[in-house]
Amino acid sequence: GAGVSQTPSNKVTEKGKYVELRCDPISGHTALYWYRQSLGQGPEFLIYFQGTGAADDSGLPNDRFFAVRPEGSVSTLKIQRTERGDSAVYLCASSLGTSGSSYNEQFFGPGTRLTVL
Amino acid sequence: AQKITQTQPGMFVQEKEAVTLDCTYDTSDQSYGLFWYKQPSSGEMIFLIYQGSYDEQNATEGRYSLNFQKARKSANLVISASQLGDSAMYFCAMREGLGNQFYFGTGTSLTVIP
């Protein structure tokens, strides 16, 4: 079956521009996560969706970052007025959803490498 | 304080030997889950193994095992019979209770030498 897909795989933009990064989760997965991975670091949580709603957006660094998931499937991460410091790999993950235990395996996409010049 | 600490930026192991990748964690929750992921140079994160805080036995998945020492708050990954394809970054991660966030360490780069 298809895994998590992300497009584009690479995005180069100029400082100040607007970008959109897309994530297509595994079919049937209700939970969707966005992470940012800077060079030499582990993934850093940005936002979590359960269904269509953003259940936890505490990891978004500032109001230039926004994400939507209007139909509870595909999600788009939007970055306004990009800055050089936004350059990173943006990872998307999905899972079946929260359960009664702490086990909740996340399946990751290949990531989008964003470069802001 | 860091939630997950991986103190080995890089490790080398001879092919067919075993290697241990260290991970310590910090939480005050009684219920939590610990995960290990592998990230090859291609970039995708591959789930390897999971250990629940209430699991009494160490988790094992094929050549991967997790040395869980709850009192020390450590969850080291042991890879037995290393293969060249094991060369990658390895990340330890934790989920607290039913929380939504996964906290990742900074990773360990493993190189398997032929």
Side-chain angles (χ1 to χ4, degrees):
Chain A
V4 178
S5 62
Q6 292 186 246
T7 55
S9 54
N10 279 285
K11 176 71 177 177
V12 180
T13 190
E14 292 180 345
K15 180 174 176 292
K17 299 290 188 183
Y18 167 82
V19 296
E20 289 189 353
L21 312 179
R22 175 188 167 110
C23 172
D24 204 335
I26 292 172
S27 177
H29 281 191
T30 58
L32 186 146
Y33 306 77
W34 283 100
Y35 293 85
R36 178 169 68 178
Q37 186 174 20
S38 301
L39 193 63
Q41 301 294 317
E44 174 190 18
F45 171 81
L46 295 177
I47 187 169
Y48 156 71
F49 287 90
Q50 181 59 41
T52 59
D56 184 348
D57 64 357
S58 61
L60 294 178
N62 51 60
D63 61 5
R64 295 187 298 105
F65 288 74
F66 189 70
V68 295
R69 195 186 185 199
E71 297 178 358
S73 179
V74 171
S75 175
T76 304
L77 178 66
K78 308 180 181 192
I79 310 174
Q80 299 177 326
R81 304 183 303 280
T82 52
E83 299 177 356
R84 293 195 179 89
D86 298 335
S87 296
V89 175
Y90 289 82
L91 294 167
C92 175
S94 70
S95 69
L96 283 171
T98 55
S99 66
S101 76
S102 60
Y103 178 75
N104 187 24
E105 181 186 343
Q106 297 187 3
F107 296 84
F108 282 81
T112 293
R113 181 175 299 277
L114 175 66
T115 303
V116 181
L117 301 176
Chain B
Q2 291 289 326
K3 291 281 188 182
I4 295 287
T5 302
Q6 294 181 256
T7 57
Q8 306 156 314
M11 289 282 286
F12 292 86
V13 63
Q14 203 74 38
E15 193 178 6
K16 300 180 185 176
E17 297 293 313
V19 63
T20 298
L21 307 184
D22 294 342
C23 172
T24 58
Y25 59 92
D26 181 27
T27 182
S28 55
D29 283 12
Q30 295 301 307
S31 174
Y32 51 89
L34 297 158
F35 301 76
W36 277 91
Y37 282 86
K38 172 184 179 181
Q39 188 176 43
S41 56
S42 53
E44 75 272 26
M45 298 283 282
I46 302 167
F47 167 75
L48 296 178
I49 196 167
Y50 164 81
Q51 179 85 41
S53 58
Y54 293 120
D55 294 341
E56 294 185 352
Q57 295 197 343
N58 287 343
T60 60
E61 288 287 347
R63 294 187 299 111
Y64 304 108
S65 61
L66 201 151
N67 184 1
F68 181 46
Q69 298 189 40
K70 198 168 181 176
R72 293 186 175 185
K73 293 190 174 179
S74 74
N76 299 339
L77 176 70
V78 181
I79 305 174
S80 63
S82 298
Q83 302 172 356
L84 296 177
D86 294 335
S87 294
M89 284 291 292
Y90 288 80
F91 291 95
C92 179
M94 176 176 66
R95 182 185 185 214
E96 292 177 310
L98 299 181
N100 307 313
Q101 296 192 27
F102 271 43
Y103 300 95
F104 284 84
T106 51
T108 295
S109 175
L110 177 67
T111 302
V112 180
I113 303 166

